[in-house]
Amino acid sequence: MLAAIGGAHILLAENNLFNQQVATEFLENAGATVCVAQNGKEAIDLLANDRFDCVLMDIQMPLMDGFEATRLIRDNPALAEMPVIAMTASASNEDRERCLAAGMNDFIGKPFKPYVFYTVIAKCMM
């Protein structure tokens, strides 16, 4: 599972400092490099200038939320196939359906559970 993540360049779109630290530590421990965006607009700007293997997208961020950022990613032919994984503290079925409808590949709940975190990312990157 960790082999699928090792060596990956991952964009983490998350405005909460604690969640940034935890997710970055998990990803770096798996051998990935991480670039952090503070909001959806910053994530879109970074995607225009760098190549990433996956995006972890918080759905509630200032300036541009994860839903809008994911729609813009899916509208861009160069990025349309990139795995985008939602991250949210709201883990209801309705939230999951909204994430999938916006074009996200899967969903990770907060607080992060290491096994689930790694499994979802690895599955989306395979």
Side-chain angles (χ1 to χ4, degrees):
M1 175 171 46
L2 297 181
I5 301 170
H9 188 48
I10 296 178
L11 177 57
L12 173 64
E14 169 66 67
N15 65 304
N16 179 284
L17 184 60
F18 178 76
N19 290 332
Q20 285 177 9
Q21 291 172 334
V22 172
T24 297
E25 185 175 314
F26 281 5
L27 293 166
E28 289 176 347
N29 286 343
T33 58
V34 181
C35 182
V36 176
Q38 299 294 324
N39 57 62
K41 174 155 179 16
E42 192 175 315
I44 295 299
D45 292 344
L46 287 166
L47 286 164
N49 296 308
D50 201 352
R51 187 190 81 65
F52 294 93
D53 298 302
C54 179
V55 179
L56 298 182
M57 184 75 72
D58 183 20
I59 62 171
Q60 296 178 357
M61 295 180 287
L63 298 181
M64 181 187 296
D65 67 22
F67 295 113
E68 182 61 26
T70 300
R71 286 184 199 101
L72 291 173
I73 291 168
R74 294 299 178 230
D75 287 346
N76 181 336
L79 301 174
E81 298 302 316
M82 175 171 302
V84 178
I85 301 168
M87 299 188 310
T88 181
S90 303
S92 71
N93 284 337
E94 181 180 318
D95 288 322
R96 179 181 290 274
E97 289 176 20
R98 284 185 64 209
C99 292
L100 297 175
M104 297 175 184
N105 297 74
D106 210 329
F107 181 98
I108 296 173
K110 298 178 197 174
F112 304 126
K113 295 179 178 121
Y115 180 79
V116 174
F117 185 88
Y118 291 130
T119 300
V120 169
I121 295 168
K123 181 182 77 167
C124 287
M125 292 183 57
M126 293 174 135

